[in-house]
Amino acid sequence: SMANTTSLLDMAKAMQYIYLMSKKDTTFNEGLMILSHQCDRVAIPSVFSELDYDKINVYNKTATLNNARYDIAIINTSNNTYVLGVSVINMKQNSNSVVVELSKEVFKQY
């Protein structure tokens, strides 16, 4: 069988495409809806849990694979929209806190 060769950059491009196409084609809105209702929201989306969700929308996908934790999200604020992807290799119990702290620092820049 073939190994999973989808990179974090590949996923960022896919997320960006879904978001941009949702502005032109309502079919892609369903994809955004699915990404906004993921069960695993403890990494990047948790940064925004205390903020006003009327102004911030987060669409994410999280995966754990071969001792690595991946989270990628589209963050849409009243000021900006950006895609953030974070991977933690050689995962430890605190890998979510690493992702959360990195996400906070990136958000401060936008």
Side-chain angles (χ1 to χ4, degrees), residues 5 16 18 23-24 28-29 36 41 43-44 46 49 53 55 69-70 72 88 90 99 103 107 110:
T5 58
Q16 179 184 23
I18 291 168
K23 304 298 180 199
K24 301 175 184 177
F28 288 87
N29 288 333
S36 71
R41 309 267 299 168
I44 294 173
S46 70
S49 62
Y53 267 99
K55 296 179 184 168
R69 177 87 167 155
Y70 302 91
I72 186 151
V88 179
N90 296 324
V99 174
S103 301
F107 177 69
Y110 286 89

Side-chain angles (χ1 to χ4, degrees), residues 1-19:
S1 73
M2 197 170 189
N4 182 348
T5 58
T6 304
S7 72
L8 203 55
L9 182 57
D10 294 333
M11 289 303 302
K13 288 176 181 178
M15 299 279 272
Q16 179 184 23
Y17 183 78
I18 291 168
Y19 181 78

Side-chain angles (χ1 to χ4, degrees), residues 35-36 41 44-45 48 53 56-60 73-76:
L35 293 170
S36 71
R41 309 267 299 168
I44 294 173
F48 307 99
Y53 267 99
I56 300 173
N57 296 305
V58 181
Y59 312 96
N60 81 301
I74 301 165
I75 297 96
N76 174 247

Side-chain angles (χ1 to χ4, degrees), residues 86-101:
V86 180
S87 65
V88 179
I89 311 299
N90 296 324
M91 191 172 68
K92 305 282 188 253
Q93 281 187 313
N94 66 344
S95 64
N96 278 336
S97 63
V98 170
V99 174
V100 168
E101 290 307 312

Side-chain angles (χ1 to χ4, degrees), residues 27-87:
T27 305
F28 288 87
N29 288 333
E30 185 176 355
L32 282 181
M33 186 192 71
I34 292 167
L35 293 170
S36 71
H37 291 91
Q38 293 295 303
C39 293
D40 190 339
R41 309 267 299 168
V42 298
I44 294 173
S46 70
V47 172
F48 307 99
S49 62
E50 297 174 7
L51 301 175
D52 187 349
Y53 267 99
D54 290 339
K55 296 179 184 168
I56 300 173
N57 296 305
V58 181
Y59 312 96
N60 81 301
K61 184 68 183 115
T62 302
T64 302
L65 181 66
N66 298 335
N67 202 33
R69 177 87 167 155
Y70 302 91
D71 198 17
I72 186 151
I74 301 165
I75 297 96
N76 174 247
T77 72
S78 57
N79 296 326
N80 210 341
T81 300
Y82 61 98
V83 177
L84 174 63
V86 180
S87 65

